[in-house]
Amino acid sequence: MTRPLFLAAIALLAATAAHAHTGHGLDGGFLTGFTHPLLGWDHVIAMVAVGLWGAFLGSPAIWILPITFPIVMAVGGALGVAGVTIPMVETGIAASGIVLGLMVAFGVRAQLWVAALLVGLFAIFHGHAHGTELPSAANPYAYAAGFVLATGLLHLAGIAFGTLTKSPAGTWAVRAVGVVIAAAGAAFLTGIA
Amino acid sequence: MIRRPAAATLAAATLPTAAAAHSFAPGPDPWSQIISGALVPLSDPALLLALLPLGLTLGIWSTEGLPRLWPVLAAGLVTGAAAGPLAGLSIAFTAILTGLATALMGAAALAWPFWLMAAVAAATGLVTGMTMLEGHPFGSLPTTLYLGMIGGALLTVAIPFVLTATTRTVIPAPWLTIGRRVASSWLAAIALMLAALRFA
């Protein structure tokens, strides 16, 4: 009887720190989905660029683009979930940073349908990248909700910064951010970043 | 010493009861049954994605949207609850698709006709009522549980509606108008993803 007690006492004294909530259980949950677009800079720059361009174009593009993107992104995600292969997804994601960044940098006043088409096209690539990771997620429902919300918040961040276009100095600041976004996109495309 | 617990465990494992999509374990008193029922629509992603877009879209459509259409919604819920035993497992998928269509209507924010919004409210009530009680024969549960579920579903629609309608009247800012439509598009995107997951 004393030996088991002795061994139990040693085991208790030698216990390491508990890891009840290490964050591991969050793998594939809401937080993982939420942080996925935020921690991937190739995603971040494109999302912010959508908001910036929308702000540049003004109404109704300012709300049509951030509405178009998540819905079409979900279509891309659904294709990813279904296992449909889309060629050059990573190239498309990097190209979205370059193209959308240049649109902002040059203040391109594209027609609404052109802007929506362009944004929708790139949204397919971004959504597909998220969607292919969904089936393996521990809680795909929470993951999906998380990445959609984070994507939308990045758009709103872009729109908020884009409101600076109301002043001439602010317009130049927004254009400068467009240059940075395009350069970052080029860095991703060429493998520098 | 060891055989008896092992035999008891084996007996328990070999006598499983029938599985139910929404199994209920309500308490003995009516209040706990109401609470247990009210939690059903709040704990199922398919139900949430059908009910939340309806509240949001009704608020975007009109500040009087829910007061005008809640009898239609309630009638749909009661009918759906009655038809629950007829529902198959695909009813949750139908609920998500209904929510997707409703959310897209909210994001578009067009001047939808009254009859269309009434049809959407009725359809949402019907499919959510059927989803909540899928596989449960009518009358097999306490009446207070049914009341709780219908009340919970109405509350799940009312909360986004009140938030939307209130911000429209109290803070009529353009950015909030955009925000409501963006929120609706987010719900549509989430519903689309969940539909794909159910289909996959």
Side-chain angles (χ1 to χ4, degrees):
Chain A
M1 285 295 286
T2 52
R3 187 177 291 174
L5 282 174
F6 179 70
L7 289 173
I10 289 177
L12 279 172
L13 291 171
T16 55
H19 292 286
H21 295 111
T22 58
H24 191 73
L26 294 169
D27 283 354
F30 179 84
L31 200 57
T32 308
F34 190 81
T35 52
H36 187 252
L38 299 177
L39 297 178
W41 281 99
D42 46 351
H43 290 298
V44 170
I45 59 170
M47 305 301 122
V48 172
V50 169
L52 288 174
W53 198 26
F56 233 119
L57 294 172
S59 184
I62 194 170
W63 60 264
I64 284 185
L65 297 188
I67 285 173
T68 302
F69 195 97
I71 293 172
V72 182
M73 182 184 73
V75 173
L79 292 174
V81 169
V84 177
T85 307
I86 294 179
M88 297 190 294
V89 169
E90 293 303 323
T91 306
I93 290 171
S96 69
I98 298 172
V99 174
L100 294 172
L102 289 175
M103 294 294 163
V104 175
F106 289 103
V108 176
R109 304 276 177 185
Q111 288 188 24
L112 183 60
W113 70 270
V114 175
L117 191 70
L118 199 59
V119 164
L121 176 70
F122 290 130
I124 293 277
F125 292 116
H126 286 268
H128 192 273
H130 295 306
T132 47
E133 294 182 14
L134 257 170
S136 60
N139 187 342
Y141 304 121
Y143 181 95
F147 90 69
V148 168
L149 289 180
T151 300
L153 289 174
L154 286 170
H155 290 156
L156 293 184
I159 290 173
F161 191 76
T163 55
L164 290 174
T165 53
K166 289 176 180 173
S167 71
T171 301
W172 283 110
V174 171
R175 286 187 168 199
V177 172
V179 171
V180 172
I181 288 172
F188 286 122
L189 189 65
T190 55
I192 296 172
Chain B
M1 284 294 285
I2 293 173
R3 281 183 184 173
R4 191 176 291 173
T9 306
L10 185 65
T14 51
L15 293 171
T17 53
H22 294 113
S23 56
F24 301 99
D29 59 299
W31 176 245
S32 65
Q33 290 167 1
I34 287 176
I35 295 297
S36 183
L39 289 175
V40 170
L42 297 171
S43 55
D44 187 330
L47 292 168
L48 281 173
L49 282 169
L51 295 166
L52 291 175
L54 180 66
L56 188 59
T57 302
L58 285 175
I60 291 170
W61 176 62
S62 165
T63 52
E64 298 293 321
L66 188 58
R68 289 168 72 190
L69 286 174
W70 86 262
V72 178
L73 173 63
L77 281 165
V78 172
T79 310
L86 305 173
L89 286 173
S90 60
I91 193 66
F93 183 68
T94 312
I96 294 172
L97 291 183
T98 308
L100 169 62
T102 311
L104 287 174
M105 288 172 69
L110 300 176
W112 304 109
F114 178 83
W115 65 265
L116 182 59
M117 294 308 295
V120 169
T124 303
L126 187 70
V127 295
T128 50
M130 291 176 84
T131 305
M132 284 191 291
L133 284 157
E134 173 258 313
H136 294 276
F138 192 68
S140 62
L141 298 167
T143 308
T144 42
L145 199 70
Y146 289 105
L147 290 175
M149 277 187 279
I150 291 171
L154 289 172
L155 191 67
T156 311
V157 176
I159 290 168
F161 170 78
V162 168
L163 285 171
T164 310
T166 305
T167 52
R168 279 186 66 176
T169 50
V170 177
I171 319 168
W175 66 269
L176 265 177
T177 307
I178 296 170
R180 285 186 288 268
R181 300 174 75 164
V182 167
S184 201
S185 74
W186 293 357
L187 285 175
I190 294 169
L192 188 56
M193 290 302 303
L194 295 204
L197 282 166
R198 295 240 174 184
F199 195 71

